[in-house]
Amino acid sequence: MSFAPFARRRGFTFIELLVAIIIFALILACVVPYVLASREASRRVQCQNNLRLIFYGMANYQKANHPLGYPRTRFDLKQAAWTAYTGADEANPFRADSSVAVNDVTASLWLMVRTGYLPDTSVFVCPSSDRVRDPMTNLAGAKVKPDQRGNFRSHRHLAYSILSPFNPLDQDTWAWNDTLPSEVALLSDMNPGVGGDDDVAAPQAGDDAKRLQLANSRNHGKRGQNVLYAGGNVAFVPHAFVGMGYARAETQNKPSLKMGDNIFTSLRGPPKTPDGAPLFDGPGVFGTNVAPSWTYDSYLIPSDDQ
């Protein structure tokens, strides 16, 4: 009786294994960026929907509280200063000795939670940011009702900025309601402020993309920000110069580049040149001691510095 010789199974050679690894790496290099880009695109859409919901909350608040207009807590228009996140456990942000400070921009947003026009605090969280929803608890950690709170618990619970409700100028023409011009920036991904690779006051209209990026929100990896305008439309924009007006950026390839007011700063100086042309291309100013500098100056606050 004879037996056929045992057939040895052939395994991968080192070269074949190396080729397989390279092919797999190439597939990953093609697929991963697509998956990440697709995920970010989806998050941008969700972020836009959040801004729309906040806008609808503001509109409904105005309808129910006319003629008070959009939500705004106690204010002192004689001072330029504004603040944020004061009086988180305040039951009445409107009383004279309230722990919610005057000109508190985040407490003004919180009014929509207190009154039920935005019952879910997750709407204030951009899915591309590191923020988390407010847990609706008191200082001791116990669950409370929305009207038992006067503000966000901390900066970690808010990922968006709003046009300053405290404009000390032109009170005869400026109003905090739905009569704002449709091209005024009303809400956006959070103002990045100043520090590290953030400097909202540094870029000028017409700067290269890298320098313009200094003023971009951190919510979407400094690539740009979602902006909702007073007319209700929302768009993702690659730089912050998208407010009222336009600026002439004299560059080699774009001699009349159309850009608007920097939405994250207060305009420095008057909004017109000596010849009467709109001027929005200069560096603006930013800080808690700064207010809008003219009637429709887009100055969206707070920043992630607060």
Side-chain angles (χ1 to χ4, degrees):
M1 185 175 181
S2 62
F3 295 92
F6 179 75
R8 296 177 61 188
R9 296 184 60 186
R10 181 177 178 274
F12 277 109
T13 67
F14 175 76
I15 297 299
E16 289 172 330
L17 181 61
L18 184 61
V19 170
I21 292 173
I22 292 174
I23 292 173
F24 183 69
L26 289 173
I27 292 173
L28 283 180
C30 294
V31 172
V32 170
Y34 173 79
V35 171
L36 293 178
S38 178
R39 182 180 297 177
E40 171 57 17
S42 176
R43 288 172 175 172
R44 288 183 189 180
V45 171
Q46 185 178 341
C47 182
Q48 291 178 351
N49 289 336
N50 284 349
L51 290 174
R52 289 190 183 97
L53 289 172
I54 297 172
F55 175 67
Y56 296 151
M58 294 172 65
N60 289 329
Y61 183 95
Q62 175 178 315
K63 289 178 182 178
N65 295 276
H66 185 79
L68 297 179
Y70 288 149
R72 180 171 66 178
T73 50
R74 296 183 307 133
F75 55 91
D76 180 0
L77 297 180
K78 295 180 181 179
Q79 58 176 291
W82 56 272
T83 189
Y85 307 109
T86 65
D89 293 294
E90 177 60 67
N92 183 2
F94 291 103
R95 62 188 178 92
D97 58 347
S98 171
S99 58
V100 173
V102 295
N103 296 2
D104 190 311
V105 62
T106 57
S108 299
L109 279 170
W110 189 261
L111 283 178
M112 289 181 286
V113 180
R114 285 179 55 87
T115 51
Y117 293 106
L118 286 175
D120 188 352
T121 54
S122 65
V123 74
F124 292 108
V125 177
C126 170
S128 290
S129 72
D130 61 355
R131 300 307 200 240
V132 295
R133 64 178 297 179
D134 191 293
M136 200 63 71
T137 56
N138 61 18
L139 191 59
K143 287 287 185 179
V144 295
K145 295 180 179 180
D147 61 0
Q148 294 177 277
R149 291 269 304 277
N151 213 331
F152 294 89
R153 173 61 58 196
S154 82
H155 70 283
R156 297 184 62 250
H157 304 137
L158 178 64
Y160 299 113
S161 296
I162 188 171
L163 176 67
S164 175
F166 315 110
N167 190 331
L169 305 173
D170 302 315
Q171 287 303 301
D172 293 334
T173 57
W174 187 82
W176 182 232
N177 55 38
D178 59 6
T179 63
L180 288 167
S182 60
E183 58 267 48
V184 169
L186 185 62
L187 293 159
S188 75
D189 282 299
M190 181 158 281
N191 185 329
V194 177
D197 57 351
D198 301 323
D199 192 345
V200 292
Q204 300 186 54
D207 282 347
D208 59 55
K210 184 177 181 179
R211 187 161 180 80
L212 288 172
Q213 199 174 53
L214 290 171
N216 281 347
S217 175
R218 302 192 68 85
N219 283 7
H220 300 279
K222 303 290 285 181
R223 300 180 188 90
Q225 43 275 321
N226 283 309
V227 178
L228 184 141
Y229 293 88
N233 59 307
V234 59
F236 188 83
V237 294
H239 55 75
F241 287 84
V242 292
M244 286 281 286
Y246 69 91
R248 296 176 181 177
E250 300 298 333
T251 63
Q252 183 176 358
N253 298 323
K254 297 180 180 179
S256 59
L257 181 64
K258 185 175 181 180
M259 301 180 83
D261 175 25
N262 185 336
I263 62 174
F264 294 140
T265 65
S266 175
L267 183 69
R268 175 182 290 150
K272 289 187 177 182
T273 60
D275 63 359
L279 175 64
F280 298 99
D281 60 348
V285 289
F286 169 80
T288 56
N289 61 338
V290 176
S293 65
W294 67 289
T295 308
Y296 299 122
D297 184 11
S298 294
Y299 183 37
L300 276 62
I301 50 178
S303 78
D304 58 17
D305 298 337
Q306 275 67 49

